[in-house]
Amino acid sequence: MITEGTLLVHCSANQALRCAPIAERPGAGLVISPFQRDEAGLLATAAYLLRQRHFEAPLLLDAARYAGPARLPASAPFNPRWLRRQRELGVPVLTDSGYVDSGDEPGLAGILHRAAVLPDTIAVLPLHPIWLQDRLHRTVLTGHIRAAGGPVALVLEASRDPFALPGVVEGLLAVLGCGVPTLLLRCDVSALGALCHGAAAAAVGTVAGLRHLTPRPAPQSGPVARGFRPAAPSAVFAPALSYRRINAISRARRRHPDPGLFGCACTVCDGRDVDWMAELDDREREVPAFEHSIRVLQDLRDELLRSADTAPASWTAHCTDAVYRSRELGWDPAPMLRHWQRHQSPGATVTRLTA
Ligand SMILES: [Zn+2]
């Protein structure tokens, strides 16, 4: 059962056992995507978590067939076995949707209408960002969501933060205004903005690749793509309300030594300055970086959602403060802060999830 305002941890199956304890607290939960496209491995991990480890927080399984070089298009049929296995495990049922490209209105409508005839099923909508950015696309999107009337889970494509793109915040608020329970998967700090404006649940990815849907590389970029190295881990820096490279946080601390700004009381940092992780190499940093980030975002969620009435205004105030703090530290503020700041009025009313 997902309660309103749930902040989920979005991890891959090989991280699930480590993430389970982080996701077991009130208002939290877990979304798991396959590791290296291994759906059977994902289902086995979920079965272990539920039946042997007795994981009790909300658990969602994301087939992620919309991602990667071999992603499926929105017109691809759902796999009945995938839907059935989720029901057998007793988890909310997410469709294994393909990717909805910029011009694919039939694909979009197909996912929504095929999901609407299934009992208690959440339609996963992996969207090209134009569906939220462009006014005409947005009208088509919200029209189909309203007509289908069932819960949706959005996944937004962008090479970096989709909420940095103009119009994406407006588009999300329009979807939240459709009156259907809305989840947001593969997100970063903007998950909190979505929750403050009435999303039923939003998921923060453990690694950069799970904090948005990475566009498929262009065919001519093959050799470049093969040489691609994962980005050095970033961590949430709460005063700037954004993910920052740990080395950048270290440099900022040396320039502006202020224990009140850099000290972190989360269970991972335990009062140390947040850039203590700079002493570790990139591989060792990854786990504490995401544990710290999720803990900090969970505490922020608790603070922001203390009252649903004041949450949108409280989120705006946090964004305004983060812009100021970022500048003070010599950084460009995260672009999404400006987009969220423009939306001060209370947003959509929270719509109850039935799944
Ligand atoms: Zn910390």
Side-chain angles (χ1 to χ4, degrees), residues 235-236 262-277 288-289 291-293 295-296:
V236 167
F262 292 92
C264 180
C266 87
T267 49
V268 187
C269 301
D270 196 21
R272 288 176 284 186
D273 286 337
V274 66
D275 62 320
W276 67 270
M277 296 171 226
E291 287 196 13
H292 152 84
S293 301
R295 295 288 186 203
V296 166

Side-chain angles (χ1 to χ4, degrees), residues 29-47:
L30 196 58
V31 186
I32 316 178
S33 292
F35 177 60
Q36 296 178 345
R37 306 194 72 82
D38 178 10
E39 280 178 23
L42 167 56
L43 291 166
T45 302

Side-chain angles (χ1 to χ4, degrees), residues 169-187:
V169 168
E170 286 87 343
L172 175 70
L173 296 179
V175 172
L176 292 173
C178 285
V180 305
T182 301
L183 293 77
L184 187 59
L185 306 181
R186 288 185 189 245
C187 197

